[in-house]
Amino acid sequence: MTTIKIDGIEVPFKEGQTIMDAALAADIYIPHLCHKPGLSPHGSCKLCTVDVNGRAVSSCTMPAEEGQEIENNTAALNETRKTITQMLFIEGNHLCPSCEKTGDCTLQAIGYHLGMLDGHFPQFYPRREVDASHGSLVLDRDRCIVCELCVRASRECDGKDVFAISGRGSNRHLIVNSPTGRLADSDIELDDMAAHICPVGAILIKDHGYEVPIGRRTFDLHSVAETDLDELILKKTTHHDEADESAEKEGGVYGV
């Protein structure tokens, strides 16, 4: 059996797995925002940076190799991750108390996980476009962190190419691949994975807001460090009118 060592723990891995794959399979949490099992690795958020034999690498893109000794949960790495998280907050317009995604937002949950108590840096307050043209979805770029999960989900899972990234540096932003650039003129549908995969509140379902009270949402009840949350979060696309009674009895219409 081939293994790597993460924070002193022997972790087995299979050929083709990344360090992130092996860690998640072993129930070891490495903070991340742009990674989702089943989608091609991207390595853009840099939260999953670990030290491998003294060299900093993105664990979601670095293949696991025999003999790697990896530092993950260290004070220095977590402080750097907190700084990255603070920068993500101030680069956009994240007003958590008024956001429908609060309590379900992975960025917010990671901020809590890393002990982030303020934005630290001056707020950018960028001017960003909101696209409410679609009948079922709203695209609020104020909250977009350019993780490209929706871009990859649309292309790799939905078989479409609804989203893309345009611009460079601080001007990078999410665009819609339609003749008008509006979501209404794209072929995105409510059942598409791209409509539900956003880790923040940039893509929201229009007619389903605040149905789960604050205090009962995903990260009110679960730690972001739980490594099996992905399936749970995607189940939350079920509307309460569509859920059966047994689901309610087992802990809420969203299974939380």
Side-chain angles (χ1 to χ4, degrees):
M1 180 176 64
T2 51
T3 63
I4 54 179
K5 191 175 284 188
I6 301 178
D7 292 334
I9 301 172
E10 292 282 352
V11 174
F13 70 92
K14 300 175 183 175
E15 182 71 24
Q17 282 189 317
T18 63
I19 293 172
M20 176 69 79
D21 294 332
L24 290 175
D27 200 26
I28 294 174
Y29 176 64
I30 300 176
H32 57 274
L33 279 168
C34 72
H35 175 75
K36 187 73 70 177
L39 297 180
S40 59
H42 199 247
S44 61
C45 76
K46 302 303 179 189
L47 279 176
C48 74
T49 297
V50 294
D51 287 336
V52 179
N53 298 339
R55 186 166 68 97
V57 300
S58 296
S59 62
C60 70
T61 57
M62 185 71 178
E65 296 178 1
E66 181 74 35
Q68 287 175 333
E69 295 199 9
I70 299 155
E71 291 187 345
N72 166 45
N73 189 22
T74 69
L77 283 171
N78 285 332
E79 190 62 25
T80 300
R81 290 164 178 158
K82 185 169 75 173
T83 300
I84 293 171
T85 305
Q86 288 170 321
M87 293 172 70
L88 288 172
F89 267 95
I90 61 98
E91 285 176 354
N93 298 308
H94 299 275
L95 305 174
C96 296
S98 62
C99 178
E100 149 61 13
K101 195 79 173 185
T102 189
D104 289 329
C105 173
T106 309
L107 177 65
Q108 181 189 47
I110 286 179
Y112 282 125
H113 175 75
L114 296 172
M116 176 183 154
L117 300 178
D118 56 39
H120 183 72
F121 302 103
Q123 185 74 36
F124 278 22
Y125 295 119
R127 183 176 178 81
R128 294 183 176 175
E129 292 184 2
V130 175
D131 181 349
S133 62
H134 195 277
S136 301
L137 302 168
V138 60
L139 171 60
D140 188 344
R141 294 181 176 87
D142 284 318
R143 303 161 184 155
C144 181
I145 56 173
V146 203
C147 66
E148 299 195 33
L149 280 174
C150 60
V151 176
R152 284 172 283 154
S154 180
R155 184 174 57 233
E156 299 172 15
C157 297
D158 302 332
K160 304 177 182 179
D161 195 18
V162 171
F163 297 108
I165 299 297
S166 180
R168 304 181 65 181
S170 60
N171 291 320
R172 293 180 77 231
H173 61 282
L174 187 67
I175 62 171
V176 176
N177 287 322
S178 70
T180 62
R182 301 193 319 158
L183 209 54
D185 299 317
S186 73
D187 55 354
I188 192 169
E189 297 175 273
L190 190 55
D191 292 336
D192 289 352
M193 179 176 283
H196 302 279
I197 201 168
C198 181
V200 292
I203 302 174
L204 293 174
I205 311 301
K206 267 189 173 176
D207 56 348
H208 299 287
Y210 297 96
E211 291 166 341
V212 177
I214 293 172
R216 292 289 300 165
R217 299 185 171 193
T218 303
F219 297 115
D220 296 325
L221 303 175
H222 300 270
S223 165
V224 72
E226 294 177 32
T227 55
D228 58 351
L229 280 180
D230 282 330
E231 184 179 352
L232 175 70
I233 290 171
L234 287 177
K235 283 181 181 176
K236 294 169 75 70
T237 60
T238 303
H239 186 262
H240 66 83
D241 289 342
E242 301 161 354
D244 58 35
E245 293 183 356
S246 62
E248 290 188 349
K249 292 174 182 176
E250 289 172 0
V253 294
Y254 296 92
V256 296

